[in-house]
């Protein structure tokens, strides 16, 4: 009995030891850190043993590997070290077990393929160790010899190459089309490198060494750095976009400045190559599929029957599109936003329920690695070359990675809002840089208002500016007033020319149908305001009235507004402004309330910042999510230097001059009703009593408003200054008033002045407005 118990205990111990060993081995195989360290160490030890630097252990390992793989041993360190790098880089997407096993399969298939290629007749495993060690080894001979005898040598080559490809796909856990795309990219890169090398060698033979040393300080990083000097000016000739073929022309020492270019054909636009391209971040399809599986499982756990139909990876977020089963309410999935963010470990999730125009729900999840979208990526695209309108600007990339543009003439005005650091100033820089690259100063002019004094100052002396960048809020009010006056002048020209808009006016002017002495070819004007809140604090009424009037009427004559603010509240973005500026760019905001102020709906509070924006325009009222383009200060400086060298800035001093307005018989500066002012004027003159309390009783207004009416009458010369508690002196008699044929109160208005209105003011109506 005791022997049976001992045998049972021994069996239990052996079973426990097997289980422990198996669990430890599984943990080791599935732990990417352990497998990565093992593969790197084994590859490094094999590499050292090849050079006889591995000691006795390394010599033993090398002899075993040489017997197995022959010359294929020299490739084993590369495969294993690369596999370790894959585990470190893509640890969440590629299982460690697949990488380890796949590395051995690649080693076996590549050695066998090498063994079959170097021999017209495959060697038998009985050929001897010395002969096989100089080919593919014994394992390759065991594979190739029977296979070649069965299907032939050519078919053996095909089988081994197919096996090698399958081993690579298994190891890297990618699809075949991705492998083909990677090989194409490598071939394309090698071709470009060889082509650039040959071209550089050819150009080096055409350039004299003296010219090279003369221009080496002028040419840096394949960009022309153009500076205005007293004795040297530069002229870009022929093909400007190819930086390798430009010459520096010396002029006489007497010319100290570059003369302004008057002809449009002589102005050369900056090349797109001044802008750098963004970073290429490829999304792991295995990781996307894993996230999609987790999302589908989460919906099933919450009782939502849905099917994943499409995955749209973008530069910032990835949209997962799902379709609900019949009978499932949309509200069931919209309430799971926090649960989805928790399950997928993402900062925030935005739901589109449903996607506009489709029977699907979009779940937008931020990417773990964001792509840096450069303005060069947008403006160098094929879509940009097909757009010819001067007011077309690059905005960024949409959620599917396609370049997006905005035509300021179609917006026709745009409001940009978002919290600090969300990307508003970067968006304005992208807009301005796009205009500088794509437009001629004769076609587009800019008026920039920068109360912060640090964002737009780098554009001073650019030929596109009508005046220097305005930093004083009072000067900004004068500039807006000038824009209103310029709008009225242009409408008079449109009426005299019998055309409807700026396009018809330009076409008629270019055709020679308008007299150049009476008409001028006025350009487009873009007014950019970087911070509206500062202007509203200084002169809110004047700024609002100018912006509203421009927004209502300035579209047809080519004046467009780009207004930005970091405080999207109702006292800054008033209802009248929102009604007349239908296009909005919303960046990240703190709350859904601010999002509703900008977009009239929530959504901007779910953005993740750094240029992530929601766009709604007058022509496209549905929300589009776009990653804004980024332009560096160095790129802006290069472009500004280029355009400065092409043409000098010619400022218009009238833009910032104080606009003179007539105050007599006008109520625009006082914000009061014109009829009410005329009524108060007639009451004071006919009664010859300049009393504020009398106006309060007669007109049924509050004391403060009655006092304001009396101040307006004083500014118009009707009454004298205040004399304390005494009534003001009336400076115009009844006879002068009637002889001047001024408008009087209508009979309807006189009916309102009943005896009930002559009652004394009470404490309640004394303070009311």
């Amino acid at each position: 009995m005791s022997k049976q118990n001992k045998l049972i205990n021994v069996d239990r111990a052996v079973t426990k030891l097997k289980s422990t060993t198996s669990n430890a081995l599984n943990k080791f195989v599935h732990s990417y850190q352990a497998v990565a360290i093992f593969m790197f160490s084994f590859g490094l030890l094999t590499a050292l043993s090849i050079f006889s630097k591995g000691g006795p252990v390394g010599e033993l390992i090398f002899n075993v590997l040489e017997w197995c793989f022959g010359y294929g041993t020299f490739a084993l360190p590369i495969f294993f070290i690369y596999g370790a790098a894959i585990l470190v880089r893509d640890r969440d997407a590629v299982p460690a077990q697949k990488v380890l096993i796949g590395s051995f399969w690649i080693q076996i298939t590549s050695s066998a393929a090498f063994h079959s290629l170097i021999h017209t007749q495959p060697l038998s495993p009985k050929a001897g160790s010395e002969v096989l060690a100089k080919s593919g080894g014994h394992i390759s001979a065991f594979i190739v010899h029977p296979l070649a005898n069965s299907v032939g040598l050519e078919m053996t080559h095909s089988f081994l190459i197919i096996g090698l490809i399958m081993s690579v796909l298994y190891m890297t856990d990618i699809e075949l089309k991705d492998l083909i795309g990677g090989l194409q990219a490598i071939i394309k890169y090698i071709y470009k490198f060889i082509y650039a090398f040959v071209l550089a060698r050819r150009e080096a033979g055409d350039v004299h060494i003296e010219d090279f040393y003369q221009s080496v300080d002028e040419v840096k990083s394949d960009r022309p750095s153009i500076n205005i000097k007293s004795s040297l000016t530069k002229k870009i000739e022929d093909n400007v976009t190819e930086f390798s073929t430009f010459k520096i022309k010396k002029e006489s020492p007497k010319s100290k400045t570059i003369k302004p270019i008057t002809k449009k054909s002589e102005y050369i636009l900056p090349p797109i190559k001044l802008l750098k391209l963004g970073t290429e971040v490829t999304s792991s399809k295995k990781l996307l599929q894993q996230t999609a599986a987790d999302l589908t499982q989460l919906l099933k756990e919450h009782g939502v029957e849905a099917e994943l139909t499409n995955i749209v990876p973008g530069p910032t977020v990835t949209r997962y599109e799902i379709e609900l089963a019949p009978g499932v309410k949309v509200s069931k999935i919209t309430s799971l936003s926090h649960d989805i963010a928790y399950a997928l470990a993402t900062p925030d999730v935005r739901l589109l329920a449903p996607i506009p125009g489709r029977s699907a729900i979009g779940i937008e999840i931020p990417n773990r690695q964001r792509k840096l979208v450069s303005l060069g990526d947008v403006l160098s695209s094929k879509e940009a070359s097909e757009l010819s309108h001067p007011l077309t600007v690059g905005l960024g990339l949409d959620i599917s990675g396609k370049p997006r543009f905005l035509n300021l003439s179609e917006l026709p005005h745009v409001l940009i809002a978002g919290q600090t650091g969300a990307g508003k100033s970067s968006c304005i820089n992208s807009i301005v840089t796009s205009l500088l690259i794509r437009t001629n100063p004769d076609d587009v002019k800019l008026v920039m208002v920068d109360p912060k004094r640090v964002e737009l100052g780098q554009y001073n002396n650019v030929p596109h500016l009508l005046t220097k960048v305005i930093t004083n809020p009072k000067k900004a009010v004068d500039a807006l007033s000038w824009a209103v006056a310029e709008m009225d002048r242009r409408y008079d020209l449109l009426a005299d020319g019998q055309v409807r808009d700026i396009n018809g006016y330009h076409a008629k002017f270019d055709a020679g149908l308008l007299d150049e002495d009476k008409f001028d070819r006025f350009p487009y004007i873009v007014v950019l305001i970087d911070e509206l809140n500062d202007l509203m604090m200084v002169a809110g009424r004047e700024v609002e009235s100018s912006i509203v009037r421009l927004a209502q009427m300035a579209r047809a004559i080519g004046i467009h507004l780009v207004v930005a603010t970091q405080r999207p509240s109702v006292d800054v973005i008033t209802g009248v402004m929102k009604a007349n500026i239908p296009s909005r760019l919303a960046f990240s905001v703190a709350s859904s309330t601010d999002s509703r102020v900008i977009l009239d709906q929530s959504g901007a509070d779910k953005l993740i910042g750094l240029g992530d924006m929601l766009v709604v325009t007058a022509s496209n009222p549905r929300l589009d999510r776009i990653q804004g383009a980024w332009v560096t200060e160095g790129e802006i400086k290069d472009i500004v230097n280029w355009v400065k060298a092409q043409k000098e800035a010619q400022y218009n001093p009238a833009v910032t001059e104080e606009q003179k307005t007539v105050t007599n018989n006008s109520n625009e500066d006082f914000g009061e009703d014109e009829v009410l002012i005329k009524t108060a004027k007639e009451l004071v003159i006919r009664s010859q009593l300049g009393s504020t309390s009398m106006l309060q009783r007669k007109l049924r207004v509050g004391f403060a408003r009655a006092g304001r009416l009396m101040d307006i009458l004083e500014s118009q010369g009707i009454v004298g200054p205040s004399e304390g508690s005494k009534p003001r002196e009336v400076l115009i008699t009844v006879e002068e008033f009637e002889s001047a044929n001024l408008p009087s109160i209508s009979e309807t208005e006189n009916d309102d002045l009943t005896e009930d209105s002559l009652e004394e003011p009470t404490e309640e109506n004394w303070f009311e407005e």
Side-chain angles (χ1 to χ4, degrees):
M1 195 69 183
S2 59
K3 292 183 178 180
Q4 292 181 355
N5 292 335
K6 289 182 179 179
L7 292 175
I8 293 173
N9 292 334
V10 171
D11 291 339
R12 289 178 179 176
V14 171
T15 304
K16 186 176 181 180
L17 180 61
K18 289 181 179 179
S19 177
T20 305
T21 305
S22 177
N23 292 335
L25 184 60
N26 289 332
K27 289 182 180 179
F28 173 80
V29 171
H30 291 284
S31 174
Y32 78 92
Q33 294 180 348
V35 175
I37 293 174
F38 168 75
M39 295 183 67
F40 180 79
S41 301
F42 188 76
L44 182 61
L45 181 60
T46 305
L48 293 175
S49 66
I50 292 174
F51 299 98
S52 300
K53 301 293 184 180
V57 177
E59 184 178 357
L60 176 62
I61 292 175
F62 178 75
N63 292 333
V64 174
L65 293 176
E66 187 180 26
W67 184 89
C68 295
F69 305 114
Y71 283 160
T73 306
F74 297 99
L76 187 142
I78 300 175
F79 297 148
F80 271 65
I81 294 176
Y82 179 70
I86 290 178
L87 287 176
V88 174
R89 184 190 63 185
D90 301 329
R91 58 181 181 270
D92 296 332
V94 181
Q97 183 179 4
K98 285 189 173 183
V99 176
L100 180 60
I101 298 175
S103 300
F104 280 109
W105 277 114
I106 291 176
Q107 177 65 31
I108 293 172
T109 53
S110 61
S111 299
F114 172 75
H115 182 81
S116 65
L117 290 173
I118 64 174
H119 297 290
T120 57
Q121 289 294 333
L123 298 177
S124 171
K126 299 179 181 180
S129 299
E130 294 183 0
V131 178
L132 293 178
K134 296 180 180 180
S135 55
H138 285 76
I139 293 179
S140 300
F142 277 113
I143 296 174
V144 175
H145 185 265
L147 192 60
N149 293 332
S150 301
V151 297
L153 190 60
E154 290 76 10
M155 200 65 184
T156 301
H157 295 163
S158 303
F159 282 150
L160 292 176
I161 292 175
I162 293 174
L164 179 61
I165 294 175
M166 294 178 63
S167 301
V168 173
L169 296 178
Y170 182 82
M171 173 187 175
T172 57
D173 200 18
I174 61 175
E175 297 180 0
L176 180 60
K177 61 180 181 180
D178 297 329
L179 179 62
I180 296 175
L183 294 176
Q184 290 177 348
I186 293 174
I187 295 173
K188 186 177 180 181
Y189 178 79
I190 295 174
Y191 172 77
K192 286 185 176 180
F193 178 78
I194 296 175
Y195 178 77
F197 179 77
V198 173
L199 185 63
R201 296 281 297 179
R202 184 180 302 172
E203 292 177 354
D206 297 337
V207 179
H208 297 289
I209 192 65
E210 294 82 8
D211 297 334
F212 173 77
Y213 283 113
Q214 181 180 0
S215 61
V216 69
D217 295 331
E218 302 295 334
V219 183
K220 294 180 180 179
S221 301
D222 292 335
R223 297 182 180 182
S225 177
I226 301 177
N227 297 320
I228 302 176
K229 296 184 178 181
S230 59
S231 62
L232 180 67
T233 58
K234 305 168 184 67
K235 180 179 180 182
I236 310 300
E237 296 181 349
D238 301 333
N239 191 0
V240 185
T241 59
E242 296 296 332
F243 293 104
S244 59
T245 58
F246 74 89
K247 300 177 182 179
I248 302 175
K249 180 180 178 181
K250 293 183 178 180
E251 296 181 355
S252 61
K254 296 181 180 180
S255 62
K256 297 185 178 181
T257 58
I258 294 180
K259 297 181 179 180
I261 300 173
T262 57
K263 295 183 180 179
K264 186 185 300 185
S265 59
E266 297 181 4
Y267 182 85
I268 302 174
L269 297 177
I272 302 297
K273 291 185 178 180
L274 291 179
L275 298 175
K276 299 179 181 179
L277 299 180
T279 58
E280 290 291 340
V281 178
T282 58
S283 57
S284 174
K285 293 191 176 182
K286 187 66 178 178
L287 185 59
L288 295 179
Q289 293 174 358
Q290 183 64 35
T291 304
D294 295 340
L295 181 61
T296 306
Q297 182 64 27
L298 175 69
L299 296 178
K300 289 181 180 180
E301 292 175 356
H302 288 80
V304 179
E305 296 182 7
E307 179 185 0
L308 183 68
T309 59
N310 192 18
I311 301 177
V312 184
T316 304
V317 297
T318 299
R319 176 185 293 174
Y320 297 86
E321 300 177 0
I322 61 175
E323 291 183 2
L324 299 179
V328 179
K329 293 184 179 180
V330 177
S331 58
K332 289 191 67 176
I333 196 171
T334 56
S335 60
L336 298 177
S337 60
H338 296 291
D339 298 304
I340 295 174
Y342 174 78
L344 301 180
T346 58
D348 211 339
V349 173
R350 179 172 175 261
L351 298 179
L352 290 177
I355 299 175
R358 297 179 55 189
S359 297
I361 295 177
I363 302 177
E364 296 178 354
I365 300 175
N367 296 335
R368 296 185 181 182
Q369 291 183 343
R370 300 181 60 174
K371 177 183 178 182
L372 177 61
V373 179
S374 172
L375 185 61
D377 297 331
V378 181
L379 296 183
S380 61
S381 63
K382 179 181 178 181
E383 292 83 353
S385 60
E386 297 175 354
L387 301 174
S388 59
H389 197 281
L391 293 185
T392 300
V393 297
L395 193 60
L397 300 182
D398 61 8
I399 195 171
S400 60
K402 296 180 180 179
R404 292 295 301 271
F405 300 87
L406 284 182
N407 190 342
L408 298 180
S409 64
E410 296 177 356
L411 293 181
H413 313 284
V414 60
L415 178 65
I416 305 174
Q419 61 186 1
T420 303
K424 301 183 303 298
S425 298
S426 300
C427 181
I428 292 180
N429 284 328
S430 298
I431 293 175
V432 176
T433 305
S434 299
L435 293 175
L436 295 182
I437 287 181
R438 294 174 57 89
T439 62
N440 191 296
D442 297 333
D443 296 331
V444 176
K445 292 293 184 180
L446 303 175
V447 176
M448 298 185 184
V449 179
D450 182 20
K452 293 187 291 187
R453 305 183 182 184
V454 294
E455 296 293 343
L456 303 179
Q458 54 194 342
Y459 298 106
N460 272 322
N461 299 322
V462 167
H464 296 71
L465 288 178
L466 280 172
T467 183
K468 285 189 175 182
V469 177
I470 302 172
T471 58
N472 189 348
K474 294 183 179 179
K475 293 290 185 181
V477 175
D478 296 334
L480 291 175
S481 301
W482 173 87
V484 174
E486 175 68 12
M487 178 186 68
D488 295 334
R489 184 187 75 86
R490 292 188 176 190
Y491 268 113
D492 293 337
L493 293 179
L494 291 185
D496 295 340
Q498 297 180 354
V499 292
R500 296 184 59 183
D501 54 15
I502 186 173
N503 295 326
Y505 181 85
H506 283 172
K508 199 169 184 177
F509 186 90
D510 295 338
L513 302 178
L514 298 177
D515 187 4
E516 295 186 3
D517 296 334
K518 298 180 180 179
F519 299 90
D520 62 303
R521 195 182 191 281
F522 48 77
Y524 291 96
I525 296 178
V526 180
V527 181
L528 298 105
I529 303 175
D530 190 22
E531 185 49 62
L532 179 63
N533 182 36
D534 292 344
L535 302 185
M536 297 294 289
M537 292 177 62
V538 174
R541 187 184 301 275
E542 293 82 356
V543 171
E544 181 181 3
S545 62
S546 299
I547 290 179
V548 169
R549 192 160 182 222
L550 288 172
Q552 288 174 342
M553 301 178 59
R555 173 179 183 175
I557 43 84
I559 299 179
H560 304 280
L561 297 175
V562 178
V563 182
T565 180
Q566 64 180 0
R567 186 184 173 191
S569 55
V570 293
D571 55 342
V572 176
I573 306 175
T574 62
V576 182
M577 286 186 187
K578 289 175 59 178
N580 292 280
I581 304 180
S583 301
R584 291 89 180 266
L585 305 182
F587 291 85
S588 176
V589 294
S591 63
S592 59
T593 303
D594 294 338
S595 177
R596 291 188 181 94
V597 172
I598 309 169
L599 301 172
D600 296 327
Q601 57 183 301
S602 60
D605 53 317
K606 301 294 184 180
L607 301 177
I608 57 178
L610 298 179
D612 191 17
M613 72 177 86
L614 291 177
V615 179
V616 58
T617 61
S619 58
N620 185 18
R622 71 176 187 179
L623 294 180
D624 288 336
R625 190 167 187 173
I626 296 176
Q627 174 61 41
W630 168 257
V631 55
T632 63
E633 293 185 5
E635 295 170 347
I636 296 175
K637 186 176 180 181
D638 292 341
I639 294 172
V640 168
N641 289 337
W642 182 287
V643 298
K644 284 182 181 178
Q646 295 296 306
K647 188 174 183 179
E648 288 183 346
Q650 298 177 352
Y651 294 145
N652 184 359
V655 176
T656 55
E657 289 182 355
E658 184 176 358
Q659 302 296 317
K660 298 180 180 180
T661 57
V662 181
T663 58
N664 292 334
N665 298 329
S666 177
N667 66 322
E668 291 181 0
D669 295 335
F670 302 101
E672 286 292 349
D673 187 14
E674 183 179 0
V675 177
L676 190 63
I677 294 176
K678 292 181 179 179
T679 304
K681 182 189 304 183
E682 185 171 356
L683 285 174
V684 169
I685 293 175
R686 292 191 181 278
S687 63
Q688 290 294 301
L689 180 64
S691 173
T692 304
S693 59
M694 184 269 293
L695 292 180
Q696 184 184 3
R697 293 194 308 272
K698 298 285 186 181
L699 301 179
R700 296 182 179 181
V701 296
F703 182 81
R705 193 171 187 184
R708 188 161 60 249
L709 288 172
M710 192 62 68
D711 292 337
I712 294 174
L713 295 180
E714 178 184 357
S715 64
Q716 293 182 351
I718 305 299
V719 297
S722 175
E723 298 179 3
S725 59
K726 296 181 180 180
R728 298 174 184 250
E729 180 183 4
V730 181
L731 303 179
I732 297 179
T733 62
V734 179
E735 292 76 15
E736 292 176 349
F737 175 72
E738 292 178 349
S739 62
N741 197 19
L742 294 176
S744 60
I745 308 174
S746 62
E747 295 180 0
T748 304
E749 294 168 347
N750 283 327
D751 293 340
D752 294 334
L753 303 176
T754 59
E755 292 295 328
D756 297 333
S757 65
L758 301 179
E759 59 184 354
E760 292 293 327
T762 62
E763 293 183 359
E764 295 181 357
N765 61 18
W766 183 269
F767 295 98
E768 71 177 19
E769 287 291 329

